[in-house]
Amino acid sequence: MRLVGRREDVSELLLASDLAVLPSAWESRSVLAQEALHARVPLVATAVGGIPELVGDAAELVPCADADALAAAVVRLLGTTIAGSCSRSGGCGRPRPGRPRTRPSPKCSASTTS
């Protein structure tokens, strides 16, 4: 991971990414989530605020403040992405596996139930 500071070319960076991660304790309507989904980049996000309604089944949602669930989702999706990029002859397409939804953690003050 590299922290790159303020950038004007976020869409290009997302297109070069294998995965986007949004580990927020609170979000209303995340621009990162919207841009990742638009770029068809797999997204792992915490199920807080408006995120579940925004992403629906298009992202893997994990409970807030659950580092183990976040790490497991990241490893699972990166493994799927890496395996999928080599599975077709010369193809580098990103697979879009089904992603289960989870309920938000009660530890997060602004989470919603879904």
Side-chain angles (χ1 to χ4, degrees):
M1 175 186 291
R2 174 183 278 172
L3 300 177
V4 294
R6 182 172 170 79
R7 300 288 296 251
E8 298 298 324
D9 59 344
V10 173
S11 59
E12 288 84 10
L13 292 173
L14 279 171
L15 289 172
S17 301
D18 293 320
L19 182 71
V21 180
L22 185 63
S24 302
W26 184 89
E27 284 284 343
S28 60
R29 187 161 187 90
S30 169
V31 174
L32 170 64
Q34 294 175 63
E35 289 183 355
L37 295 177
H38 179 73
R40 299 187 53 82
V41 173
L43 173 66
V44 176
T46 48
V48 298
I51 297 299
E53 291 77 22
L54 176 66
V55 302
D57 292 329
E60 180 152 346
L61 297 176
V62 297
C64 179
D66 188 340
D68 292 334
L70 183 71
V74 166
V75 167
R76 184 172 48 256
L77 287 180
L78 283 178
T80 301
T81 300
I82 291 167
S85 67
C86 301
S87 65
R88 297 184 183 99
S89 58
C92 292
R94 289 189 175 97
R96 298 291 178 254
R99 296 179 178 95
R101 292 182 60 160
T102 60
R103 290 198 175 275
S105 168
K107 295 183 214 176
C108 299
S109 60
S111 61
T112 60
T113 57
S114 52

